[in-house]
Amino acid sequence: MAYSDKVVDHYENPRNVGTLDKGSSEVGTGLVGAPECGDVMRLQIRVNPETQVIEDAKFKTFGCGSAIASSSLATEWVKGKTVSEALTISNTEIVKELALPPVKIHCSVLAEDAIRAAIGDWKKKNNVAEGAEAPAAAVAAH
Amino acid sequence: MSDVSSANYFALFSLPRHLHVDLPALEKAFYAQSRRLHPDRFAAKPVEEQERALRASSDLNDAYRTLKDPIGRTQYLLTLEGVEMEEQSRAATDAARASGGQKKQVVPPELLEEVFELNMQLQEMRAAKQMGEEEPDLRADLERARVEFAGKMEQTQTKLESLWTRWDAAEDADDDAGRQAVKTSMVELLNRRSYLRNLLRDVNDALQS
């Protein structure tokens, strides 16, 4: 199966590979997996406590090219977004951007799961109730 | 649902829906049915009938192969029971999206941590190897990892067989709560197993290259 150019680009030049300080209260860590293919993905975000803007994001993924590309793209997309904006990113947008074939859709699902898991971890650390983050519309004037 | 049960692989061989399978009985039933569907017996029959026999024969082969294989039949039974491993994951994502919350992972977090750490170690070992470093400990580390993963794989086999026993008992007692509990444990175990299998494959690759 041929990968799309965008997948190859993210695979060969992955953006934001690395680690953020797991112990920091500003950092949220999401670790998710897709047992069907044995992939594991860790996505971390650093959130500005004042603005709730995601200022940095890092990932480390063990998996196929599509899983790596999906998580690489996810880190690019969450950066600069507020927490609530990032929660609106869906796997279908990732599928579209990377032109993933049906058999690789679960990779994009994994990336969406990872974003949610990282945000969930950050919320837990900062005692932000689920759904109680600053509403997207109020923070971001589109 | 008599149409479904009559089409299922267990019924095809007149076997109970058990996970401990009487393999000699399965083999015997398979050969008996194969003879019945042998192309020679249809040579004089109309083409449609020949084709139907051929299709039935091919289904029979699939059924036999699936039930003979321990993992294959466990997965097959879970499918029969309406458990779709990928579907389950997707449904959990949808639920998380709807509630705005976190997804309930189908894999226990401890296992993900473990798999992640093992992958990190493996990558370090491979990187060191690629740099041409003559790490004397490197190969020993990989060998240790291989033994460790292989040991864990064996444990999953033992665990799986004990789950089969629980399943068979629940099936015989028509104990639905029991069946549900075993199903959940089996899904978890198969997920764990597929991670371990991949890790083992990667370690073996690293040792060979």
Side-chain angles (χ1 to χ4, degrees):
Chain A
M1 183 198 60
Y3 284 121
S4 73
D5 291 347
K6 276 182 180 158
V7 172
V8 173
D9 180 38
H10 274 279
Y11 180 70
E12 288 179 347
N13 313 291
R15 284 40 146 196
N16 312 310
V17 172
T19 311
L20 297 171
D21 175 16
K22 214 178 159 181
S24 161
S25 65
E26 294 177 14
V27 172
T29 302
L31 181 62
V32 295
E36 311 88 63
C37 49
D39 291 354
V40 265
M41 183 181 287
R42 186 186 64 198
L43 193 146
Q44 295 182 296
I45 52 170
R46 203 186 65 239
V47 182
N48 181 317
E50 302 290 316
T51 59
Q52 295 202 353
V53 167
I54 297 170
E55 293 185 333
D56 201 3
K58 297 276 183 206
F59 84 95
K60 178 82 202 159
T61 293
F62 297 101
C64 66
S66 300
I68 290 167
S70 296
S71 37
S72 171
L73 181 67
T75 55
E76 274 198 324
W77 278 358
V78 296
K79 268 209 242 183
K81 284 197 167 67
T82 64
V83 165
S84 46
E85 284 171 326
L87 280 173
T88 65
I89 295 171
S90 88
N91 81 295
T92 45
E93 295 169 86
I94 297 172
V95 170
K96 220 190 259 170
E97 175 70 17
L98 295 175
L100 294 180
V103 292
K104 292 294 180 183
I105 286 174
H106 64 268
C107 299
S108 67
V109 173
L110 202 57
E112 182 189 329
D113 292 343
I115 296 173
R116 288 179 184 286
I119 291 173
D121 182 52
W122 172 81
K123 280 182 179 171
K124 208 154 59 180
K125 275 184 180 171
N126 292 277
N127 290 316
V128 180
E130 293 286 359
E133 68 278 359
V139 183
H142 285 287
Chain B
M1 298 256 285
S2 61
D3 54 333
V4 174
S5 71
S6 68
N8 93 52
Y9 291 170
F10 293 96
L12 196 60
F13 296 112
S14 310
L15 289 169
R17 228 189 239 225
H18 282 175
L19 285 170
H20 283 288
V21 166
D22 180 350
L23 291 174
L26 170 67
E27 195 179 29
K28 225 175 119 193
F30 170 64
Y31 285 130
Q33 303 229 39
S34 295
R35 272 195 299 276
R36 202 172 51 79
L37 293 167
H38 196 277
D40 287 353
R41 305 183 62 147
F42 293 84
K45 300 275 167 66
V47 179
E48 304 87 71
E49 218 171 306
Q50 288 182 17
E51 279 173 359
R52 208 175 319 130
L54 206 61
R55 267 199 306 278
S57 172
S58 142
D59 289 347
L60 191 70
N61 274 293
D62 288 346
Y64 177 60
R65 258 201 305 273
T66 303
L67 292 191
K68 210 170 64 159
D69 175 51
I71 303 301
R73 75 168 167 268
T74 309
Q75 275 167 339
Y76 175 70
L77 181 99
L78 288 170
T79 312
L80 275 187
E81 288 289 316
V83 179
E84 292 287 347
M85 312 268 261
E86 269 197 57
E87 205 43 57
Q88 211 179 33
S89 176
R90 202 169 304 141
T93 297
D94 289 345
R97 198 181 288 150
S99 70
Q102 265 194 74
K103 176 181 172 176
K104 188 184 169 296
Q105 286 290 304
V106 293
V107 185
E110 313 81 62
L111 175 60
L112 281 178
E113 295 276 357
E114 186 189 353
V115 171
F116 193 84
E117 282 309 314
L118 292 172
N119 268 302
M120 287 291 263
Q121 283 172 23
L122 196 56
Q123 194 177 48
E124 271 167 39
M125 289 185 226
R126 272 195 298 238
K129 210 172 181 185
Q130 257 180 7
M131 299 291 287
E133 284 174 38
E134 273 310 313
E135 285 271 358
D137 298 339
L138 189 67
R139 206 169 178 86
D141 281 349
L142 282 170
E143 285 289 0
R144 248 197 309 279
R146 195 177 63 81
V147 171
E148 189 192 331
F149 299 155
K152 287 183 179 194
M153 275 292 268
E154 265 175 49
Q155 283 169 19
T156 64
Q157 190 62 37
T158 315
K159 180 90 198 292
L160 186 64
E161 282 172 25
S162 75
L163 290 174
W164 287 353
T165 305
R166 278 176 54 197
W167 168 266
D168 293 356
E171 182 73 11
D172 287 342
D174 203 14
D175 166 12
D176 212 39
R179 273 194 290 244
Q180 291 303 329
V182 187
K183 269 196 279 188
T184 308
S185 302
M186 284 198 288
V187 169
E188 258 183 44
L189 191 77
L190 289 183
N191 284 336
R192 182 182 165 76
R193 191 183 176 279
S194 58
Y195 275 122
L196 286 170
R197 191 198 48 214
N198 286 343
L199 280 168
L200 197 56
R201 181 201 59 205
D202 293 347
V203 173
N204 280 328
D205 284 354
L207 274 166
Q208 272 163 18
S209 57

